[in-house]
Amino acid sequence: MRIDDSSLRPEPVLEIRVRSRKGSLRCSSCGRKRRGYDRGGDVHRWRHQDFGCWRVELVALMPRVDCPRCGVVVARLPRAEPGSRFARDFEAECAWLTAVANRKTAGSFLHVAWRTAGDIARRVAERLKASTLSPFDGLTAISVDETGYRKGHTYVTVVVDHERRRVIRAYDGVGKEVFGLFCQ
Ligand SMILES: [Zn+2]
């Protein structure tokens, strides 16, 4: 993913316009790497994790690929599941929150309806169930995010598979000792 531009709206919303990297397009149907067909016509928006007090929206055209097996179809997007209005990272955060708090709390923290928080958590759980691989199988790169919630009174450390963009582990607290739990 490549960031083209960004702008702040008065709501407050940080709008980030992104596009897929050249040569990284995959068919959304069979998952194989394919040549781009065009940049697509429709503009889509995905809610991403907040940046401070700013709501973040990713904005992009939906590129299409020319797949010899599937025809001209929309490319698979690394940032979101097909048909979802939310980025994968946002869904992962929402799912984690609903695991440690009720849906109403998770929804109000993320500024989504509690039903939406529940739907997202269900989708993420189904995806995890469908994946029989251990999160450590084929793991080559991780990223670690330390984030605060409840107005900065509570902190969590989230370890993410950088390549596959999914949460591997989440721990209460931040710092070297907390990250040490992941290395045990
Ligand atoms: Zn295909």
Side-chain angles (χ1 to χ4, degrees):
M1 183 169 79
R2 171 176 162 169
I3 296 176
D4 272 350
D5 192 11
S6 66
S7 61
L8 297 170
R9 297 206 314 246
E11 277 90 322
V13 175
L14 170 60
E15 197 172 88
I16 302 176
R17 283 172 282 286
V18 297
R19 63 177 149 148
S20 301
R21 287 181 187 278
K22 265 187 183 171
S24 67
L25 296 178
R26 288 181 181 274
C27 172
S28 58
S29 188
C30 67
R32 288 172 191 272
K33 239 180 185 178
R34 297 299 186 206
R35 208 168 34 173
Y37 180 75
D38 63 16
R39 295 185 65 194
D42 298 334
V43 173
H44 283 252
R45 289 174 182 275
W46 298 268
R47 170 84 187 278
H48 200 271
Q49 288 165 296
D50 292 349
F51 178 69
C53 63
W54 296 86
R55 206 170 96 161
V56 177
E57 286 183 2
L58 302 180
V59 182
L61 289 169
M62 297 283 277
R64 295 191 295 173
V65 293
D66 187 4
C67 178
R69 285 172 62 174
C70 316
V72 175
V73 295
V74 171
R76 176 187 285 181
L77 298 170
R79 68 192 78 98
E81 292 295 322
S84 176
R85 294 182 292 121
F86 302 97
R88 278 181 219 274
D89 291 344
F90 181 91
E91 291 197 333
E93 183 182 16
C94 182
W96 180 81
L97 272 172
T98 56
V100 296
N102 61 41
R103 284 180 292 172
K104 197 176 168 194
T105 306
S108 52
F109 175 72
L110 296 170
H111 308 290
V112 295
W114 66 269
R115 281 181 201 278
T116 306
D119 290 345
I120 290 173
R122 207 168 16 256
R123 283 205 300 271
V124 172
E126 280 165 12
R127 287 205 296 269
L128 286 174
K129 214 188 291 176
S131 163
T132 53
L133 287 174
S134 153
F136 296 97
D137 286 343
L139 182 65
T140 56
I142 60 167
S143 51
V144 181
D145 185 32
E146 297 178 337
T147 188
Y149 65 101
R150 288 184 189 152
K151 295 180 180 168
H153 293 302
T154 307
Y155 290 89
V156 292
T157 298
V158 182
V159 184
V160 176
D161 180 334
H162 195 69
E163 297 288 323
R164 288 173 285 202
R165 296 164 187 269
R166 62 184 185 191
V167 174
I168 304 169
R169 292 281 187 272
Y171 304 95
D172 287 324
V174 292
K176 227 190 267 182
E177 284 182 15
V178 175
F179 180 65
L181 297 171
F182 176 76
C183 303
Q184 284 176 356

